[in-house]
Structure formats: C-alpha cells, structure tokens
Amino acid sequence: MAPLADLYQLTMAYGHWRAGRAQAPAAAELFFRRGPFGGVLALAAGLAQGLRCLRAFRFSAADVAYLRSVLPSTTEDAFFDFLATLDASEVPFLQVKGPLLVVQLLETTLLCLVNYASLVATNAARFRLLAGPDVKLMEMGLRRAQGPDGALSASKYSYIGGFDSTSNILAGKLYGIPVRGTVAHSFIMSFTSLEEVQPRELSPLAGGQPVDLVALAVSWLQQVCELLQTPPEKVNQGELAAFVSYAITFPKDFQGLLDTYCVRRSGLPNFCAVALALHQLGYRAIGVRLDSGDLAQQSKEIRQVLRACGARFQVPWFETIPIAVSNDISEQSLEEFCREGSEIDMIGVGTNLVTCPLQPSLGCVYKLVEVNGSPCLKLTEDEEKMTIPGIKMIYRLYDAAGHPFMDLMALEEEASPSAGQELVVHVLGQLDEPSKVMPTTVEPLHRTYFRDGQVCEPLPSLPEVRSHAQVSLSQLSPAHRRLHEPQPYPVALTEKLHHLLTKLQQASQ
C-alpha cells in the first residue's frame, strides 16, 4: 500500500532527499479538531489496519517504475533507487516518529485508513446509544455503500461501534462478524398460489412421519382469522405459499416479512398460521420483520396479536417472538421509537449508517510536531488550525465518579501527573486563562505498538476491540454522552507545554 498516497507526498520526499534531510529525525501526530456529528465523543478506528500497512510498507519494483512515469523527468535516478530501499522500521502509529522522509510519506495513507473507519465506528456508536443496550442492531448497508471497500469497512467498524451483526457475507468471512438475513419482498412476490409449494411436507422435530405443512397451515389460518376477526378471503394466498415454502426450507429459522401486502389483513395472520403449524411439529419461529409504515405503532399492534395468539392457543413463547424493523432507519427514527414507545427488538440500519449523511467525513489531519529535535508550530490566521508543538504524551483525567472529565497534553519529557495531585492547566479555546484540576485517576493514552519494523504488542481481536469501545463509551458522563447539545469535553495543555507554545508564537511574530 506504499503508493496509496497523494502525489505531493512524493514530490516533498524528493525535496527532502535532495536537501539531505531524508534521515532527519521527525515526529508527526494524527488528530481531529472537532468532534463528529456535532458531539464530543468519537471512536478511533482503523488503527490495526494502519499497523499492518506499516509492517508491509515497501515500494516494489513495479511501484518505483510507475513513480518514474508520474514524477517530473528531472527527478534523479538515485532517488528512485533510494525509494526501493525504504521501509517503515522506525515508525510507530498515530504519534509517528522516524526519518523525516518516511514520516512525510505516511501522511495520506494513515489518514485514509483512519478517517472513514473512525467516522463509521462513531456513527454506529451513536445508533447504539440511541437504541439502548437491549435492542439488537444489524448493519445492512452493503448495497448502498461506497463500493466494496467501503462496504467491508462499514461492516467491520460498525461492529466495533456496537452493532451486533451484518448482512454482508464477505465481512462475516473475513472478520468473524455474526451474519444475519432472512427473506426479501421479491421472494414473497414470486409465489401466487399454494400449488407452487414444493416440497409440501415437513418431518416433526422429534422425528416421525412427514406432515403436509400446507394443509396444516391452512387449518391454522382459519382459527387465526377467527381470533383476529379477519376475513380469510382477504389473506393473500401467494404470501401464505411463500411463508410455508420458507418454513419447510428453514423450519428452525423461520421469520416472516409481514408488509409485502397488508400487515393486519394478510401478513400477520399468514405468519401466525405458519408459526403455529411449525409449533405443532416442535419448531419455533424466530421473528417477524417490518419494512414500511409506522414501524413503532405497528410493532405494538403486532405484539398485541402475538400475545392474543399465545394465550388463545396456549403457546407461551409466541408473545415474545422478536420484532425486527428496517426501512431507511436514521437517528431520528430511533428517537421517535423511544419517544412513542415500541415493541421493537431488532433494527436493521443501512444507508444512514454506512454513508454517514449527517457528516460525510471526519476531518482528521496529520501534522509535523518536531524535526531534528526542534518543535514545529503551524501558525495561521485561523486559530483553530494552529498546531500544538512538540512530541507529547496524552493523559485522560477521571473524576471521583469514574467519568473522564479532561484530556491533558504534556511534553514527552514531563513527569506523568498523579492521582490526587492538583494540576494547573490551560484549556484549548481558553489558553490565556489557567485553571486548576485534581483528578482521582490518571490514564496514559499512548501505547507503543510498532517499533523497529515490527508490531511489538499483540493486537486485540475484533470482539476485544468492540468490548473496549463499549466500555469506554459507558464510562462517559451522561452530559458528554448525550447526542444533542452535549457538554463540551475539554482538552488542555500543561503549563510547560503552554509555555513552549507561547514562546514559539512570540518568536514567529
């Protein structure tokens, strides 16, 4: 992936090489300036993929030949020979230290790997926070994603953000994410009559002679229609045929899609009839799905019917059959479900998860902070784009309730702050006004994962990353965790780092 870079990274690399600066020690940092989606929380993702990229960072002979064709003809041959010898053997991740030329070359690659991954993980975390801990969330955005790479990334990083499963088979194969899926409207619409059901028989779960499931479902349909006071002639026979055919094919995994025609008059009675027929043979239906209409209201009406059937026909588990919904689900949809109340157990989210329409990009940046032992400072008229100089350590400060209340930047050579120690800090946005804080717990956030060309610490598995992300989100205070008008989360500088910033600013004036 070494050529996964903007062209100007190579032109700058050539400039450093010609000036004899290629091996100058340098450090850069990757960060974002504003929390995504108008909030204050973000999940950092894509880090393991970045480490794999560093471990394999090489320009192949074919890469070098291509670079010869796109760089100016005046580029010296010796530079291309130099590129062929490059590796990333001195570069850790996020805080990147190493030879200046290599540090510079990695900018676009690392930003590409981190930006979208972190954005999707954060978007997924917002859906999880809105849905609450008990509702199952399924990512189903494959057909709407930005190509196959975007689809796979969305599946992987939405799982980290708190989703339970994906519809994407390849993501399940590559990453071990649970895969879920049932049936679409097209399957149901393809049937027109019960004569099309083949085969028609199903053996009881406990064994025995096969039973004609079509006839059994039809007999149950009469009883269900009587209970629901629904005219049997209003029930769509093609839909019943599709349900029976699917139930014979997957008797242990039968789920009904109820809204191909009319939920109340057709989909629901047909599902109940087939589910009761399966129950008579020892099987349990696993759920129903809605894909249109007022999902919250319909879920409550469906739950009433399932409870009524369970009580009338003495099938206690019937009233707990899971209800799944889909249909362009957004954050607003989840807020409406919460406000109106619902009986929804599972939610499938596609477009509004994988395309992140509320914020299409995260905006991470990558800036030099030190070259040849001298701190670097970017000064612009836009104060927000000013960088903080020097190689830094980052500490997360916790209050007595166990909630993080501030992230503190310190120079690398400074002693670590201690729990119970009063600290004088300068909060970004209020740098001229020092304030005092006293953390109950101090957590260093930097860990070295890549040194001397090797990953030096075992990388966590995807489930472990997911678990860590969810624990971290749960530690946030409610004021920081809320998605609308959250309390700002402060990032601050130590006095020593603030002094360095001030000194460099004055020297540049």
Side-chain angles (χ1 to χ4, degrees):
M1 294 181 69
L4 184 65
D6 294 310
L7 181 61
Y8 78 171
Q9 307 294 357
L10 270 297
T11 58
M12 286 188 290
Y14 181 54
H16 289 314
W17 179 82
R18 286 209 75 208
R21 295 159 47 85
Q23 300 295 333
E29 293 175 344
L30 189 151
F31 59 95
F32 61 86
R33 296 185 174 102
R34 293 184 183 180
F37 306 104
V40 298
L41 64 90
L43 292 180
L47 314 184
Q49 192 173 1
L51 288 171
R52 295 186 189 101
C53 170
L54 293 178
R55 188 165 51 190
F57 184 86
R58 300 288 189 280
F59 286 103
S60 68
D63 294 336
V64 173
Y66 177 73
L67 292 175
R68 285 181 184 273
S69 73
V70 296
L71 285 172
S73 59
T74 55
T75 306
E76 298 174 35
D77 288 341
F79 175 65
F80 296 107
D81 296 336
F82 173 76
L83 289 180
T85 69
L86 275 185
D87 61 44
S89 61
E90 297 181 57
V91 184
F93 186 61
L94 279 191
Q95 185 186 79
V96 183
K97 299 177 184 177
L100 175 58
L101 187 146
V102 176
V103 170
Q104 185 69 69
L105 280 176
L106 290 171
E107 175 181 0
T108 302
T109 309
L110 294 180
L111 285 172
C112 177
L113 295 176
V114 170
N115 259 316
Y116 180 68
S118 300
L119 186 73
V120 171
T122 303
N123 199 24
R126 292 172 64 88
F127 276 95
R128 169 51 69 197
L129 290 171
L130 287 169
D134 300 323
V135 173
K136 297 294 184 182
L137 292 176
M138 181 175 78
E139 176 272 316
M140 45 187 291
L142 176 57
R143 62 189 62 188
R144 301 289 173 81
Q146 292 92 339
D149 291 340
L152 286 169
S153 293
S155 298
K156 179 178 182 179
Y157 297 115
S158 63
Y159 182 66
I160 288 175
F163 273 58
D164 300 285
S165 60
T166 178
S167 67
N168 187 334
I169 297 171
L170 184 56
K173 175 187 175 184
L174 294 176
Y175 310 129
I177 303 170
V179 178
R180 298 287 181 268
T182 51
V183 63
H185 293 295
S186 58
F187 181 85
I188 295 168
M189 293 164 61
S190 71
F191 288 82
T192 57
S193 71
L194 291 170
E195 283 69 35
E196 296 174 280
V197 179
Q198 293 295 336
R200 301 172 65 89
E201 294 183 332
L202 177 66
S203 297
L205 181 62
Q209 290 298 313
V211 174
D212 187 330
L213 192 66
V214 176
L216 189 59
V218 169
S219 69
W220 274 109
L221 183 61
Q222 298 299 318
Q223 299 179 66
V224 171
C225 286
E226 180 182 343
L227 172 65
L228 303 183
Q229 298 182 339
T230 298
E233 62 272 14
K234 295 291 186 180
V235 172
N236 187 287
Q237 292 294 299
E239 181 180 58
L240 179 59
F243 284 2
V244 173
S245 180
Y246 198 81
I248 291 172
T249 307
F250 299 105
K252 295 180 180 180
D253 298 280
F254 173 61
Q255 182 179 27
L257 177 59
L258 304 185
D259 63 324
T260 305
Y261 303 108
C262 175
V263 174
R264 179 73 187 191
R265 290 199 310 268
S266 184
L268 194 48
N270 275 334
F271 168 80
C272 291
V274 175
L276 288 165
L278 284 173
H279 170 72
Q280 190 171 332
L281 300 182
Y283 301 96
R284 282 194 181 191
I286 65 169
V288 298
R289 180 164 74 92
L290 291 169
D291 193 48
S292 61
D294 186 335
L295 300 175
Q297 180 59 32
Q298 287 186 97
S299 74
K300 290 184 279 190
E301 294 170 358
I302 290 169
R303 183 65 71 203
Q304 288 180 340
V305 168
L306 295 175
R307 286 172 178 153
C309 283
R312 169 67 68 88
F313 304 117
Q314 298 183 338
V315 185
W317 62 263
F318 222 75
E319 67 178 40
T320 62
I321 289 175
I323 299 173
V325 300
S326 52
N327 187 28
D328 206 24
I329 300 295
S330 64
E331 287 188 8
Q332 182 179 355
S333 304
L334 270 62
E335 289 172 336
E336 290 173 356
F337 296 162
C338 182
R339 185 166 55 249
E340 298 173 14
S342 79
E343 291 288 340
I344 295 169
D345 302 291
M346 181 175 181
I347 301 172
V349 190
T351 305
N352 290 295
L353 173 64
V354 305
T355 67
C356 300
L358 296 181
Q359 180 168 327
S361 66
L362 178 57
C364 284
V365 295
Y366 178 97
K367 301 296 181 184
L368 283 174
V369 294
E370 184 175 291
V371 176
N372 265 329
S374 298
C376 297
L377 172 65
K378 176 184 176 182
L379 280 175
T380 70
E381 294 182 1
D382 185 349
E383 183 176 336
E384 187 183 69
K385 290 196 170 185
M386 179 184 69
T387 59
I388 308 299
I391 300 175
K392 293 174 281 296
M393 292 292 291
I394 313 297
Y395 301 94
R396 181 153 292 164
L397 311 183
Y398 292 80
D399 60 23
H403 300 308
F405 68 87
M406 175 180 289
D407 285 357
L408 180 65
M409 291 191 284
L411 288 170
E412 189 176 44
E413 65 267 19
E414 289 189 69
S416 170
S418 302
Q421 170 191 356
E422 186 177 77
L423 304 170
V424 178
V425 301
H426 295 257
V427 177
L428 291 179
Q430 310 166 37
L431 289 175
D432 294 332
E433 303 173 15
S435 56
K436 295 180 179 180
V437 296
M438 185 181 293
T440 302
T441 306
V442 177
E443 177 190 11
L445 296 186
H446 279 172
R447 293 174 66 175
T448 300
Y449 277 91
F450 193 82
R451 182 187 288 118
D452 298 328
Q454 297 296 324
V455 175
C456 58
E457 188 169 331
L459 297 181
S461 66
L462 193 63
E464 288 171 335
V465 173
R466 182 179 186 271
S467 176
H468 175 75
Q470 299 311 305
V471 169
S472 297
L473 288 170
S474 70
Q475 290 175 336
L476 291 175
S477 71
H480 292 139
R481 197 164 54 233
R482 64 176 181 246
L483 303 187
H484 296 294
E485 298 182 353
Q487 178 180 318
Y489 185 86
V491 176
L493 316 181
T494 62
E495 277 202 293
K496 190 170 183 178
L497 179 54
H498 179 256
H499 176 73
L500 173 63
L501 173 62
T502 304
K503 177 181 175 182
L504 292 178
Q505 284 176 315
Q506 291 172 348
S508 301
Q509 292 175 353

